[in-house]
Every structure is written in structure tokens, then in C-alpha cells.
Amino acid sequence: MKMRLTSVAAIGLLVGVSACSKNNDDLPPPPPPQETAATTPVAATPTPTDTVTNTVVPGSMEEFMQQAGTDTVYFAYDSSSLDGEARDTLTKQASWLTKYPNVRITIEGHADERGTREYNLALGERRANAIVTFMQQNGIGASRVTTISYGKERPAVEGSSESAYAQNRRGVTTLSGAAAS
Amino acid sequence: MMNGLTGATGRAVKPLAALFVLVAALITGPAAAQNLSVDINQGVSRPLPIAIPDFTTQQNVETPAGTTSSLGKRVAEVITNDLKSSGLFRPIDTLAFTTNVAYPDVLSPQFASWRTVAAQALVTGFAEAQSDGSVTIGCYLYDVFSEEVLVREGFNTPVRNWRRAAHKCADAVYSRLTGEAGYFDSRIVYISETGRATNRIKRLAIMDQDGANHRFLTNGQNLVLTPRFAPNQQTVAYLSYAQNRPRIYMYDVNTGQQRLVGNFPNMSFAPRFSPDGRTLAFSQSRGGNTDVYVMDVNGGNVRRLTNAPGIDTAPSFSPDGRRIAFESDRGGSQQIYVMNADGSGQRRISFGDGRYGTPVWSPRGDLIAMTKIGGGKFRIGVMRPDGSGERLLTDSWQDEGPTWSPNGRVIMFFRSRRGGGADLHSIDLTGINERRIPTPLEGSDPAWSPLLQ
């Protein structure tokens, strides 16, 4: 009797977990760690870092960010060329992705506001595609990758300064099917 | 909804209306006024003084839109605002009027008293309720000095459409005095914007040309961009990010129904109708390369028109449907090109300093409006279809996305502010009379409808 009850509970748990991970496919990636820290009052107090690094879940967005350093690469004005820094970042992203072949990625292409609407949509697509091509050269199959261009519609930062523009001309790698953090 | 307004040839007009419709047909002809006229090509420095007293009513009757007396007052306000907005007319302050217009004055104005307020033209008329629930707006234009009647027309419409009758009257006045078609009875579809730049909420919205009857068509859940009117004014093609896939959709303004157009694996965008409304020119991106295509409006019969490596986008048909203007960076920077509608004969037409984008062919066919990028600015300009005669009309920080009034005399566009935010503006083809178009929230990507039917 007791035994039976336990196994029912375990099945319930299993169902719960699988439903949860399925849902995660449709969810946007979790916010970057620093955002969580900013909204948590205790973040001001230094906590032992070893406990944090030890809890990074293999195959999670958190691990991806930790190993690649960033999900974002930047472009020069009206350009879709990948510079050394971008290639370095994408190489690290690709090497993490190689370890988790079930993770799919979407490459977002973005432009700064100094282009007309339609042109920037095409430019964002061109940037996203430059990243896809580089990923393919590093072993990430085309079937795992989709692109979406936002043109100048989703700047990372507000403002009309050179610094804002530089941060907005970007390609962002988003994961789906990554492990929950 | 767009129907139900009948002009001089309309059905079921009442005897009185029928009478003056008949008279109107005799009096108003294609010829422009001989004595009184407005030259719209010079950039009017002294707009024509025009008196537009409240429209009167013979019998004050209650209607669903208020009494006919109050309707008459509002009709005059709509006409006043239309004519003033053109920059070609200077409506005389109603406080200057000493004359209270009664019904007989509409048919036989007291010209001497209008001369005392220095009016050169007089727009007067009446609102009359009909037994079938419609309203007739009588519209008269007089030359105050020659005492000649220049326009005498009646517009019969369901009461809820009374503003359209007022716009039709303003169009008749504009047309008679300028010799050009009017543009006041038209609508604007645009993108309403609100929120921070990093998470902007964008909604498809529609309004009359003067900002009245504003209504949101989408709820802001999906990013939407670049709406374009079909020639029938009932359908709007636009870009939506529904399901995180930027693709072209059609919106039926009357039914509110939306449908996806075509089925492409990649981003499809920048839609624009052919003049016969049967074809959409658009762009599609494949492998980072963007080209111009055309397809039937049901999504079938897709044909690729360009194949240069690079960005070919923002196609716009000539009004005869035989050519397409578009932008391309195939030569190293964004420039304007023209080709035949089958893709043959592609050639660059913009050769000035800087970059050029968003070409839009004038409904008259004689000019292409565009956005010129240079010197840290976006400016609205025009050039002939062969690239000659380039002329910049605006000089602000970032003006983009021109659209033509139905008569090709006015260009609407959107103006972005440094640091964020955008609003709709318009400017006369002469480069004067720049105006901000009021919208409930901020706005971008305007598209002007053809004249309503």
C-alpha cells in the first residue's frame, strides 16, 4: 500500500517534469544572470562564487553564456562582416552548441536607426545570415538554425549616439530546447 | 461602409436635391474658374481669403448625428480645416462675419457684405435631413467679386457619413479653384507607436485624412510595419511578426479579417499593390540576399524580378503599372533603380551625393518621392522617373517613408526625433506648408488612400 502510493507520486512528478521541459521550448531564453542580481536586494552582499558556478546546469542558457561569454556580436555601420572579436565569440558559441546537438538556435539580426525601414530589415537579415554561415563552417547544421531580422525595430539601448548605434548593430543568438537553469 | 455616399449622379435624391444636382451639372464644368483661381505650382505666399460661414438648414431636424443646424456648423468646420490645411486658402475668422446666413442667402448671397470682410471666395450651403434617414449637404462656391457661382453640388449620404460629404464639398471647392483633383475625401493607414524604443508597441491604425474617425486595427501584440492601401481602399497589405515570422498579411478594413499572403520559408516584406490591385510587389530574403518579387494578391504566381547579389527592396509601381521603382545596394550603396514590371531594363536613376531609399511613384506618374540619406540626415525629396530634377522638400533630422496624396500634390511622411519617438507630417510638393498630422499616439509608416468612391 505504501509502496504503491510512492510510485504514483513518482509518475506524477515525471509527468510534471516532462510537461515543464516541453513548455520551455516555447519560452524565451531566461534573462541574463546580472538582471536577476540587480533585482535581488541581497546581491549587494558578496556571496561565495564557487557555489554559483557549481550550480550551472549543463546544456543551459546559463552555461552557454558562461562558455561563449556573450550571446551577442556587433557589426560596423551598414556592414555584415564579422570581425575578429565576433568570430571568436561565435566560435565559442558553436563549440558549446556542438556539445548539445538537440539545442536549436535562432539568430536575430538588428540594425541601428540610420537606415530606412525596409533596407534595415534586409540588412538585419544579411547580418543574421553572416552568422549562420559562420556557424555552418563551425559544424552547426543549417537544420538547427533559423534567422529573424528586426531591422531597427528592437534596439538594445535607447538613444541616438554613436555608442548606442554601436550596441544596436548586432546579431543575437537565442536558444530553444536548452536545459532549464 | 465606404459606400452610401452619392454625388451629382447619385440615386434616390429628393426633389430639391435633384433640382440643384441638375443645375450643378449645367453650371459646373471641367473648365477652371476664369476670374478666381489659385496657382498651386508657385508655392503660395498669399493664400486666397475665403469665407466659410456655418452651413444653414431650412428646417432644423434632429438626426442621429445631432440637429441639422449643428451638422451645418460642423460641416463648415470640416471644410474650413480641409482648405486651410492645403496652405492655399486663408479661411476668414468667423468672428469677422457680420452676416448670419439664412437659407435664401445660400442661393443668393449678400455679396456686398462678404466684400467688406475682404473675402474673395465664399463657400456656403445647407444641411437637410431626408425622410429615409440620409442627409443632403448642399455645397456652393461663389466668386465674391464677379458674383458668379462656381460650384453648386449636393451630396446625399447616410447621416453617419456626414464628414465625407463635407470633404467632398471641400474637394469640389479645391478642384474648381486650382484646376486639380482634390484629396480631402481620403484616408490614412499608418503604424501607431507607443512605449520605449527598446520595446515599442506598434499597431495598425486607420483614420480620415484630417485625423477624424481614428481606429486601431490590431492590438499591438505583434510587431507590424509598412501598411499599404490597395487601390480599392478596402484592403491593406502590411508586414506582421505574428508567430515571430515576419511575413506579408492582408487586412480587410471592413470585415477586420486578416490573412497571410503567400507561403515563404524566409522573411517576406515591403509589399506594394499594382495599380489594378491584382498584384503585389514585395521583397523576399534568401540566404541573406534580398530581391524584389511579384505575386498575385492571393499569393500565387510568384515571380522573381531581380537577382543581383545584395539588397533589392521597397518596390513601387508606376501608376500605369508598366514600371517598378525600387532601391538596391548592388552598386555599393543604397540607390534608386527603375525597371519594367517584368524585371527587364533595370537601371539606376539616383546619382547625387549620399544614399537614396523608399522610392514611391506619384499617382500622376511624373515624379518619384524618396528618402535621401546624407549629411547625418534623412530628408524627403522628389525626382523625375529618369532621375533628373532632384528636389529636397524637408530638412529635419530624420524624415522617412513618403506617401502621396491622391492628387499627387502633398506628401505625407514620418519624422523621427533624436533619442526616440516619431510623428506623421505632411508637406506640399512646392516644399511649403509643412504640417504635423495629429494622431492619438505617435506614428510612422503612413500610407495615403486613393480618393474614396
Side-chain angles (χ1 to χ4, degrees):
Chain A
M1 197 61 193
K2 201 173 182 184
M3 182 74 174
R4 188 180 174 81
L5 194 66
T6 315
S7 86
V8 168
I11 288 165
L13 191 65
L14 206 64
V15 170
V17 166
S18 74
C20 183
S21 69
K22 186 175 188 329
N23 273 347
N24 275 341
D25 286 353
D26 300 328
L27 289 176
Q34 65 268 25
E35 256 178 56
T36 319
T39 53
T40 310
V42 294
T45 318
T47 49
T49 48
D50 57 341
T51 57
V52 175
T53 48
N54 287 347
T55 60
V56 168
V57 177
S60 68
M61 180 71 190
E62 213 174 333
E63 191 196 48
F64 171 81
M65 291 295 282
Q66 195 181 69
Q67 292 195 9
T70 171
D71 59 359
T72 304
V73 297
Y74 298 98
F75 295 89
Y77 171 65
D78 197 20
S79 165
S80 58
S81 299
L82 298 165
D83 64 12
E85 193 181 338
R87 286 165 176 272
D88 190 42
T89 296
L90 293 175
T91 304
K92 289 179 193 162
Q93 289 185 2
S95 109
W96 183 89
L97 286 163
T98 307
K99 286 190 283 181
Y100 302 101
N102 292 328
V103 174
R104 293 174 48 82
I105 58 172
T106 298
I107 308 293
E108 293 177 3
H110 298 270
D112 70 28
E113 66 186 6
R114 290 175 302 169
T116 46
R117 182 92 65 219
E118 294 92 340
Y119 184 86
N120 273 0
L121 289 171
L123 178 59
E125 185 69 23
R126 185 190 264 171
R127 284 174 174 160
N129 208 74
I131 294 172
V132 171
T133 303
F134 187 86
M135 288 286 195
Q136 282 172 349
Q137 290 161 356
N138 283 268
I140 309 304
S143 61
R144 295 173 65 187
V145 186
T146 55
T147 61
I148 184 167
S149 171
Y150 286 99
K152 57 179 170 179
E153 307 308 316
R154 288 286 178 266
V157 299
E158 295 179 339
S160 302
S161 62
E162 286 300 329
S163 139
Y165 293 155
Q167 293 175 77
N168 291 336
R169 293 187 300 263
R170 69 202 195 279
V172 181
T173 305
T174 64
L175 311 182
S176 60
S181 298
Chain B
M1 154 145 212
M2 306 304 304
N3 301 319
L5 187 71
T6 53
T9 56
R11 41 110 185 120
V13 281
K14 287 286 160 186
L16 173 69
L19 178 66
F20 75 57
V21 163
L22 190 66
V23 174
L26 295 173
I27 292 177
T28 61
Q34 286 165 355
N35 300 332
L36 190 61
S37 68
V38 176
D39 184 347
I40 58 180
N41 295 311
Q42 299 305 315
V44 174
S45 54
R46 274 182 300 174
L48 184 82
I50 190 166
I52 311 164
D54 292 350
F55 278 31
T56 187
T57 191
Q58 198 170 18
Q59 203 178 5
N60 195 16
V61 173
E62 196 69 48
T63 79
T67 62
T68 49
S69 171
S70 82
L71 264 182
K73 187 178 171 65
R74 282 174 284 155
V75 164
E77 284 167 5
V78 168
I79 296 168
T80 300
N81 184 50
D82 280 348
L83 294 177
K84 187 178 177 185
S85 75
S86 75
L88 303 173
F89 301 91
R90 183 175 61 78
I92 293 165
D93 192 338
T94 48
L95 295 175
F97 298 164
T98 51
T99 318
N100 196 12
V101 175
Y103 189 78
D105 297 326
V106 172
L107 302 176
S108 180
Q110 298 166 32
F111 290 111
S113 66
W114 293 112
R115 283 192 285 268
T116 63
V117 295
Q120 291 184 34
L122 168 68
V123 179
T124 184
F126 58 84
E128 184 174 278
Q130 306 295 347
S131 54
D132 64 356
S134 66
V135 65
T136 298
I137 302 298
C139 171
Y140 295 73
L141 169 67
Y142 293 97
D143 181 332
V144 169
F145 291 92
S146 72
E147 306 192 355
E148 187 185 356
V149 62
L150 303 177
V151 168
R152 187 185 287 190
E153 285 196 55
F155 302 104
N156 185 257
T157 176
V159 172
R160 67 173 186 280
N161 276 352
W162 68 269
R163 293 186 71 95
R164 288 201 50 207
H167 290 312
K168 290 268 190 211
C169 179
D171 276 332
V173 170
Y174 176 98
S175 181
R176 182 69 171 139
L177 291 177
T178 64
E180 303 259 344
Y183 61 92
F184 302 122
D185 187 27
S186 58
R187 297 202 282 183
I188 310 290
V189 63
Y190 76 104
I191 298 299
S192 174
E193 299 191 12
T194 186
R196 311 196 63 145
T198 49
N199 189 25
R200 199 88 163 139
I201 307 295
K202 295 201 174 193
R203 278 183 283 185
L204 204 53
I206 193 168
M207 61 187 180
D208 294 351
Q209 153 277 136
D210 62 352
N213 293 319
H214 187 281
R215 146 169 100 91
F216 293 107
L217 302 182
T218 63
N219 63 10
Q221 193 180 354
N222 297 313
L223 175 62
V224 288
L225 297 169
T226 61
R228 310 296 182 207
F229 265 113
N232 70 4
Q233 313 128 2
Q234 309 294 315
T235 317
V236 173
Y238 66 106
L239 175 65
S240 171
Y241 277 67
Q243 297 165 358
N244 279 325
R245 292 183 62 186
R247 291 181 291 183
I248 297 166
Y249 288 76
M250 293 275 199
Y251 187 101
D252 185 304
V253 174
N254 289 345
T255 66
Q257 287 187 328
Q258 299 167 59
R259 67 177 172 88
L260 180 66
V261 189
N263 186 15
F264 307 107
N266 306 302
M267 175 168 68
S268 59
F269 65 110
R272 189 100 53 179
F273 285 91
S274 64
D276 65 8
R278 291 183 191 158
T279 307
L280 268 188
F282 68 105
S283 270
Q284 194 186 166
S285 297
R286 285 185 186 172
N289 176 31
T290 297
D291 280 304
V292 173
Y293 294 71
V294 288
M295 63 177 159
D296 296 347
V297 288
N298 63 14
N301 196 16
V302 178
R303 285 149 285 160
R304 181 174 177 171
L305 299 188
T306 68
N307 54 16
I311 294 171
D312 293 339
T313 189
S316 168
F317 279 95
S318 62
D320 64 8
R322 295 169 62 182
R323 287 184 289 171
I324 295 174
F326 64 103
E327 60 177 62
S328 174
D329 72 342
R330 64 183 67 178
S333 72
Q334 187 184 9
Q335 300 291 340
I336 295 175
Y337 290 68
V338 168
M339 62 182 165
N340 297 321
D342 64 358
S344 66
Q346 299 179 19
R347 67 187 186 92
R348 178 173 163 180
I349 63 163
S350 63
F351 288 98
D353 294 335
R355 296 158 55 189
Y356 296 79
T358 73
V360 185
W361 220 301
S362 158
R364 299 156 66 101
D366 56 345
L367 292 170
I368 292 173
M370 44 75 182
T371 305
K372 175 154 189 176
I373 303 165
K377 288 178 175 178
F378 290 15
R379 300 169 70 183
I380 302 299
V382 293
M383 59 175 63
R384 294 194 198 97
D386 65 359
S388 67
E390 177 182 328
R391 201 154 50 84
L392 296 178
L393 303 178
T394 73
D395 187 12
S396 185
W397 177 61
Q398 204 173 93
D399 295 342
E400 181 185 344
T403 181
W404 292 91
S405 65
N407 68 353
R409 296 299 317 186
V410 183
I411 294 174
M412 195 175 290
F413 56 95
F414 70 97
R415 172 167 292 172
S416 301
R417 288 186 299 275
R418 219 182 268 268
D423 285 304
L424 306 187
H425 289 252
S426 70
I427 191 155
D428 196 271
L429 194 48
T430 56
I432 60 157
N433 191 35
E434 190 176 297
R435 302 170 57 238
R436 182 172 168 269
I437 308 300
T439 49
L441 302 168
E442 296 188 299
S444 64
D445 290 1
W448 212 318
S449 80
L451 266 190
L452 301 181
Q453 299 302 317

